[in-house]
Amino acid sequence: MTQVTMTVNGKAASGDVPGETLLSDFLREHLRLTGTHVGCDTSQCGACVVHVDGKAVKSCTVLAASLDGAEVTTVEGLANGELHPMQVAFNDNHGLQCGFCTPGMIMSGIDMVNRYKTEGRELTEEAIRHELEGNICRCTGYHNIVRSIKDAAASM
Amino acid sequence: MSEGIGAAVKRKEDKRFITGRGKYTDDIRMENQAYGAFVRSPHAHAEIKGIDTSAAEAMDGVIAVLNGKQLKDDAIGDIITGWAITSKDGNPMNVGAWNPMATARVRHVGEPVVIVIAESQAQARLAAEAVEVDYEELPAVAAATRALEDGAPLLHDNVPGNLIFDWEIGDEAAADAGLAGATHVTELDIVNNRLAPNAIEPRSAIAVYNDIDDHYTLYTTSQNPHVARLVLSAFYNIAPEHKLRVIAPDVGGGFGSKIYIYPEEITCLWASMKTGRSVKWTSDRSEAFMTDAHARDHVTKARMGFDADGKIVGLKVNTVANIGAYASLFATATPTYLYGTLLSGQYNIANVYCDVKAVHTNTVPVDAYRGAGRPEATYVMERLMETAAREMGMDPAELRRRNFITEFPHQTPVIMTYDAGDFHALLEKGQAAADIAGFAARKSEAASRGKLRGIGYSCYIEACGIAPSKAVGSLGAGVGLWESAEVRVNPVGTIEILTGSHAHGQGHETTFAQVVSDRFGLPMDNITIVHGDTDKVQMGMGTYGSRSGAVGMNAIVKAMDKVEAKVKKIAAHTLEASDDDIVIEDGEVKVAGTDKKMAWHEVGLAAYTAHNLPDGMEPGLKEGAFYDPTNFTFPSGTYICEVEVDPETGVVEVVQFTAADDFGTVINPMIVEGQVHGGVTQGIGQALLENVVYDEDGQLITGSYMDYCMPRADDVPSYVLEHSTTVAPSNPLGVKGCGEAGAIGSPPAVINAITDAIGNNNLTMPATPHKVWAAIQEVGLPQAAE
Ligand code: FES
Ligand code: FES
């Protein structure tokens, strides 16, 4: 068992977990933050994306124990009294159907908008499609996810 | 009003999903919960000689290790197929017995043999690895055509030659005569590639047994919780229906794969009773590839004959359908009544004949997946039409036009009576939106960049809204396919709609509420949709076959008719008017032509206080309906795909995709368009990327997202959508259904576009870069690109 302490959605969170515990399991099973989803076992689908120290990370690929002291944001931590512009955009543009890929899409979307803003690059449709390479959606055909991210980028 | 029928209302259900507050099965944790892990066959075909569970039983946290024989000893039933097909010789079909956990023999990789129940998921999985099963391997067969050969390995003793049935539809002699008299015959060998459905939420189940009441609750990823309860009760002997509650909470996509009641759910229920613990099992993606019902997998020979004017004079189709190791719930209906019946396409054809041989193989069972049979039929029809046009030197759109059905109702030679449609209008709309006139210029511009540009059509028709119960009953279905609804008006006037349909991405909480809002002029916020729980909702049939709109919503309409009648009676009585003079508008119940009125909630309250109701009227305001459609519905459309092929690498890019659809009445265009986007992407996935591959010995090669290529955002374009509407005459709303169209119509459009670009028709799905490159090499580079 390993003791981990991190900040999750602005609150201190700690637990005594087996060393092999993935961040996704730590969030879902120990903290009961079930908004972060698990859709595969080969790090391909992106349903599990969260932010670690401000960057998008597939939570199924990191060990909780390796994140001692880290700042983690999950989809549950985005809305601060009001919805995050990315969340609003997904609702406005019908960017979700079953909702299972959605937390990962939203977290990846925010990360890509932030990166492109910082780097002063334009987030074109092509760039969004390319950036979404690590996120699979089976429902939406991506059309409205791309529109959602583009829309949010304008208001973020 | 702005929230009614036809308005692009934003979805009510989104808020919980975008904030991470959805409740999917795996998000639920019961007190006293233990975890199940399955020991699965690594072999495609083997005898089980012995099972040694002693090491596993001794491991940390292990509660029980249970096998298929124990399950059988407890009289848990074999898994059923729900549709009986009769072979053309009049004999009933032969299907192999399917034990929820294998007892003597395993017949596909991944078949469950043992379940381990432990305190944690990790412990259960570790112990599952310690179970030793002694197998004696048998020869295996994965390809359906091979399974039919003499001397092929046999899967089931009661299924000679692995042949489940040899079924036919249409008049063979007439089709032969038509073809004999044809001036041109187009022949194609077609493979419809095997797919894995891949809802992104893996299947999951939590079984909760309560020994005090002898009662079971199952939380599960189901598209049809009531059907699950019925089958678990009537056929698997878990418990009588009143002692079994099935809850399908938020479900993360289904596409057909979550219709079926799989071995794992059955086993978890039984294991919960055996151990006295709640038992949870959640599939991982690798398990999903080995257990979720696969799709398609047809091998077909097709011949279509034309007269000198390009009119179709005969069609003959011979198909071998791979059913897998066992016949899953709708497995036998999919390649027959959902396939052969659509082989008239949008065309006026007098003579159609189709023969289907369904075959057991050592593969995962194959069943209905988005479109189910209709994509296979459309692929046959639309590859034939495009190929024939090229062979006869005709414009492919013109060839289709010459054969379009223009008068309705139209009786096809393969059972269906099409009741409405305007195929010319769809083709025109599609062509205009796709800018057909500009194609030649786009092609030469692409050529200047060294790319081969091609265009392909697909004009599909599908039968949805499944279906009139009497009709499907006469064709062998084990159930009726109506839908139910209950409309509960509360004393304060708010409304709960209890529906037997189930949403797993379709947005029913929004569209169903729109239908109610439209009818009574009430705000969407005052209407709640309740679904997915057999304790809350009356028996219903669930969601598949694009039926929630065409059947489910119309059940709500029928129930609202009864509510409306009662509301009018109460208002007429209170306002001292005649029933016939009462109108319901904008949330008010009025006497037409006067200023006498009641607010909607006042009528609700009057119904429940019952102080002043018409003589003999029961208090309360709650009505139910069971709606059984009188016909299938027939969505149709024209899809036009443009691709660019890199001749150096064979890489195909879908550069433009236009979909012109006729879905009848559209309740929420935003949601309908989303359905098309998703369906078309699945179809492009089938055409370009996706393929389940087994090796000759039945080992699954594509067992993860590393090997099975899912469409991603940069594999598809943004889509151009058009609509042209003819209202469905068979239901009150005029709705046809839109869930499957995209996946049905798109694959042939893509392949027709690629074969147009490269000038070689010899190409199978998925058209991977390697295959496309090889096809280019086979015929040499088309002139324009050299
Ligand atoms: S669950 Fe992390 S990438 Fe699929
Ligand atoms: S919305 Fe269902 S997987 Fe993306």
Side-chain angles (χ1 to χ4, degrees):
Chain A
M1 291 298 214
T2 315
Q3 172 75 27
V4 275
T5 306
M6 55 180 94
T7 308
V8 178
N9 298 333
K11 285 194 221 122
S14 59
D16 215 12
V17 296
E20 67 273 15
T21 304
L22 299 168
L23 176 59
S24 49
D25 276 339
F26 182 67
L27 294 169
R28 289 181 57 78
E29 300 300 332
H30 293 262
L31 305 181
R32 297 299 289 147
L33 289 170
T34 55
T36 299
H37 296 155
V38 175
C40 75
D41 43 17
T42 52
S43 311
Q44 307 269 306
C45 76
C48 63
V49 172
V50 299
H51 293 173
V52 177
D53 297 326
K55 289 202 175 65
V57 165
K58 286 182 171 170
S59 64
C60 73
T61 62
V62 273
L63 296 175
S66 71
L67 295 180
D68 211 41
E71 268 212 45
V72 175
T73 306
T74 70
V75 71
E76 289 98 334
L78 285 180
N80 212 336
E82 55 189 64
L83 293 174
H84 187 282
M86 190 63 72
Q87 293 172 312
V88 175
F90 268 71
N91 179 228
D92 282 350
N93 295 285
H94 190 29
L96 62 148
Q97 290 180 24
C98 79
F100 200 79
C101 72
T102 311
M105 291 288 180
I106 287 177
M107 299 314 279
S108 294
I110 293 171
D111 176 72
M112 95 179 60
V113 172
N114 287 341
R115 272 188 293 115
Y116 275 66
K117 281 231 149 86
T118 315
E119 294 162 16
R121 289 195 286 156
E122 194 200 342
L123 191 56
T124 59
E125 171 176 342
E126 202 186 338
I128 296 171
R129 287 186 180 275
H130 179 72
E131 288 284 340
L132 283 177
E133 201 190 28
N135 292 78
I136 301 177
C137 174
R138 193 52 148 174
C139 300
T140 65
Y142 306 101
H143 184 108
N144 286 339
I145 290 178
V146 173
R147 285 178 57 223
S148 301
I149 295 175
K150 218 166 177 227
D151 189 19
S155 57
M156 267 172 70
Chain B
M1 65 183 283
S2 66
E3 293 184 329
I5 291 173
V9 179
K10 285 180 209 165
R11 297 205 321 172
K12 289 169 64 137
E13 46 273 85
D14 281 2
K15 188 149 184 206
R16 64 177 187 274
F17 295 129
I18 58 181
T19 55
R21 266 67 164 197
K23 263 280 173 273
Y24 301 88
T25 301
D26 189 59
D27 300 341
I28 296 166
R29 181 188 286 173
M30 304 308 297
E31 271 178 50
N32 199 25
Q33 177 173 295
Y35 295 81
F38 287 90
V39 178
R40 298 184 180 281
S41 170
H43 303 296
H45 202 184
E47 295 286 350
I48 299 172
K49 290 293 177 191
I51 300 174
D52 182 355
T53 59
S54 50
E57 275 161 25
M59 286 171 72
D60 273 356
V62 171
I63 298 161
V65 182
L66 304 169
N67 64 43
K69 186 161 173 313
Q70 292 167 288
L71 182 136
K72 218 180 165 63
D73 288 346
D74 281 352
I76 302 300
D78 283 347
I79 298 176
I80 58 154
T81 183
W83 204 302
I85 300 294
T86 304
S87 277
K88 60 189 181 191
D89 62 10
N91 284 319
M93 65 182 185
N94 296 316
V95 293
W98 186 2
N99 308 140
M101 289 198 288
T103 48
R105 204 165 170 190
V106 287
R107 294 182 179 84
H108 71 85
V109 169
E111 184 167 352
V113 179
V114 165
I115 186 171
V116 176
I117 317 293
E119 296 294 341
S120 78
Q121 190 182 48
Q123 287 169 331
R125 288 184 174 187
L126 214 57
E129 280 172 30
V131 172
E132 286 192 29
V133 184
D134 182 14
Y135 294 103
E136 188 175 303
E137 273 194 77
L138 297 168
V141 59
T145 44
R146 251 202 70 214
L148 286 177
E149 288 169 7
D150 281 348
L154 293 177
L155 273 82
H156 300 274
D157 296 343
N158 65 325
V159 187
N162 298 314
L163 182 66
I164 298 168
F165 55 74
D166 183 355
W167 171 89
E168 67 178 358
I169 190 168
D171 182 339
E172 184 171 22
D176 281 338
L179 284 161
T183 53
H184 179 85
V185 174
T186 290
E187 291 195 34
L188 277 182
D189 284 321
I190 288 171
V191 176
N192 204 290
N193 46 325
R194 188 177 180 112
L195 304 176
N198 277 301
I200 301 300
E201 180 205 20
R203 283 194 295 122
S204 180
I206 310 173
V208 183
Y209 177 65
N210 169 348
D211 63 338
I212 305 297
D213 301 326
D214 197 21
H215 182 279
Y216 293 79
T217 304
L218 175 69
Y219 296 86
T220 186
T221 47
S222 173
Q223 300 178 213
N224 36 221
H226 285 94
V227 175
R229 183 174 75 157
L230 168 67
V231 173
L232 286 163
S233 183
F235 297 97
Y236 308 148
N237 306 323
I238 296 294
E241 281 177 285
H242 67 300
K243 297 261 184 193
L244 173 58
R245 176 182 187 185
V246 179
I247 300 173
D250 287 329
V251 173
F255 315 111
S257 69
K258 292 172 181 169
I259 298 171
Y260 322 116
I261 298 84
Y262 288 91
E264 289 83 4
E265 290 91 314
I266 302 167
T267 303
C268 285
L269 280 163
W270 168 72
S272 176
M273 181 271 291
K274 286 298 245 200
T275 59
R277 299 286 295 269
S278 298
V279 175
K280 179 180 204 170
W281 165 81
T282 299
S283 173
D284 59 28
R285 186 56 57 187
S286 313
E287 273 182 297
F289 275 107
M290 302 188 287
T291 61
D292 292 2
H294 288 174
R296 319 286 193 251
D297 204 345
H298 284 195
V299 177
T300 294
K301 275 191 183 304
R303 302 178 74 221
M304 188 181 256
F306 297 84
D307 69 13
D309 294 329
K311 294 263 205 202
I312 305 165
V313 291
L315 170 64
K316 193 166 180 186
V317 176
N318 292 83
T319 294
V320 176
N322 195 339
I323 301 294
Y326 305 102
S328 176
L329 197 65
F330 285 156
T332 53
T334 301
T336 51
Y337 291 109
L338 294 176
Y339 169 70
T341 53
L342 272 305
L343 285 171
S344 192
Q346 295 190 353
Y347 313 112
N348 199 342
I349 314 178
N351 309 309
V352 180
Y353 174 78
C354 172
D355 170 275
V356 179
K357 293 182 170 65
V359 184
H360 276 311
T361 63
N362 295 108
T363 62
V364 172
V366 175
D367 208 328
Y369 159 70
R370 203 167 198 169
R374 292 150 291 167
E376 295 92 316
T378 303
Y379 193 68
V380 170
M381 295 304 290
E382 294 307 291
R383 291 274 286 129
L384 280 170
M385 291 304 278
E386 201 93 355
T387 304
R390 288 177 197 161
E391 287 173 353
M392 294 188 287
M394 276 180 75
D395 172 20
E398 176 56 24
L399 180 64
R400 288 177 170 90
R401 248 181 240 119
R402 284 194 195 174
N403 287 284
F404 278 158
I405 293 159
T406 52
E407 277 168 38
F408 300 89
H410 174 87
Q411 176 64 53
T412 74
V414 279
I415 296 183
M416 292 298 177
T417 309
Y418 300 164
D419 52 12
D422 186 343
F423 307 142
H424 283 282
L426 286 163
L427 180 58
E428 256 168 53
K429 282 237 172 160
Q431 286 194 309
D435 182 27
I436 294 298
F439 175 71
R442 293 194 293 278
K443 188 177 171 77
S444 56
E445 189 278 328
S448 74
R449 290 181 280 111
K451 295 284 173 69
L452 306 172
R453 191 155 175 137
I455 190 163
Y457 288 83
S458 163
C459 297
Y460 77 88
I461 186 162
E462 51 166 335
C464 286
I466 299 173
S469 297
K470 198 169 169 185
V472 295
S474 74
L475 301 177
V479 288
L481 289 165
W482 41 267
E483 194 48 272
S484 70
E486 187 172 299
V487 176
R488 288 187 189 164
V489 183
N490 297 315
V492 292
T494 58
I495 295 184
E496 283 129 20
I497 303 292
L498 288 76
T499 170
S501 298
H502 183 275
H504 27 279
Q506 295 90 338
H508 295 170
E509 289 169 48
T510 305
T511 47
F512 286 17
Q514 280 180 260
V515 172
V516 179
S517 166
D518 189 88
R519 178 74 171 264
F520 298 134
L522 298 170
M524 292 278 286
D525 268 355
N526 291 7
I527 303 155
T528 300
I529 307 301
V530 181
H531 69 110
D533 183 340
T534 59
D535 260 16
K536 293 184 182 165
V537 179
Q538 68 290 338
M539 175 73 189
M541 296 309 293
T543 290
Y544 36 83
S546 308
R547 67 194 307 275
S548 301
V551 191
M553 279 197 295
N554 282 297
I556 298 172
V557 170
K558 294 288 184 190
M560 287 196 298
D561 290 346
K562 300 182 191 173
V563 168
E564 180 172 324
K566 187 161 181 180
V567 163
K568 285 183 170 170
K569 279 201 169 66
I570 295 170
H573 178 74
T574 312
L575 301 171
E576 294 172 341
S578 136
D579 298 5
D580 300 339
D581 292 336
I582 303 290
V583 291
I584 304 176
E585 267 171 20
D586 299 335
E588 291 182 326
V589 188
K590 308 174 181 169
V591 183
T594 73
D595 58 1
K596 288 207 276 182
K597 62 184 180 191
M598 292 173 79
W600 173 263
H601 67 265
E602 289 173 328
V603 182
L605 196 62
Y608 287 93
T609 56
H611 295 162
N612 181 24
L613 292 178
D615 279 350
M617 179 183 275
E618 285 179 20
L621 194 50
K622 179 200 83 149
E623 299 288 348
F626 286 74
Y627 170 71
D628 201 345
T630 53
N631 194 358
F632 290 85
T633 60
F634 298 96
S636 56
T638 288
Y639 287 0
I640 304 173
C641 178
E642 273 183 56
V643 297
E644 284 188 7
V645 180
D646 183 340
E648 309 271 300
T649 61
V651 169
V652 174
E653 188 188 350
V654 177
V655 287
Q656 186 178 303
F657 197 103
T658 307
D661 293 292
D662 178 357
F663 296 134
T665 306
V666 168
I667 308 298
N668 184 325
M670 176 193 82
I671 285 177
V672 166
E673 286 175 7
Q675 289 293 312
V676 177
H677 298 152
V680 170
T681 302
Q682 282 173 310
I684 293 176
Q686 169 165 32
L688 295 182
L689 308 165
E690 298 179 39
N691 202 21
V692 172
V693 182
Y694 280 94
D695 74 9
E696 289 220 345
D697 299 325
Q699 283 296 328
L700 179 63
I701 307 293
T702 48
S704 81
Y705 287 152
M706 311 286 277
D707 314 292
Y708 186 89
C709 188
M710 292 282 282
R712 295 176 189 251
D714 61 358
D715 293 315
V716 293
S718 282
Y719 300 109
V720 180
L721 305 191
E722 270 291 344
H723 292 281
S724 162
T725 300
T726 61
V727 166
S730 63
N731 65 66
L733 285 170
V735 165
K736 294 184 183 176
C738 65
E740 298 166 290
I744 289 170
S746 55
V750 177
I751 297 299
N752 287 340
I754 302 171
T755 53
D756 177 52
I758 65 175
N760 184 355
N761 207 35
N762 184 18
L763 186 68
T764 54
M765 298 192 291
T768 58
H770 176 75
K771 278 197 218 163
V772 174
W773 182 84
I776 295 170
Q777 303 312 305
E778 196 177 72
V779 293
L781 223 46
Q783 221 54 43
E786 277 170 359

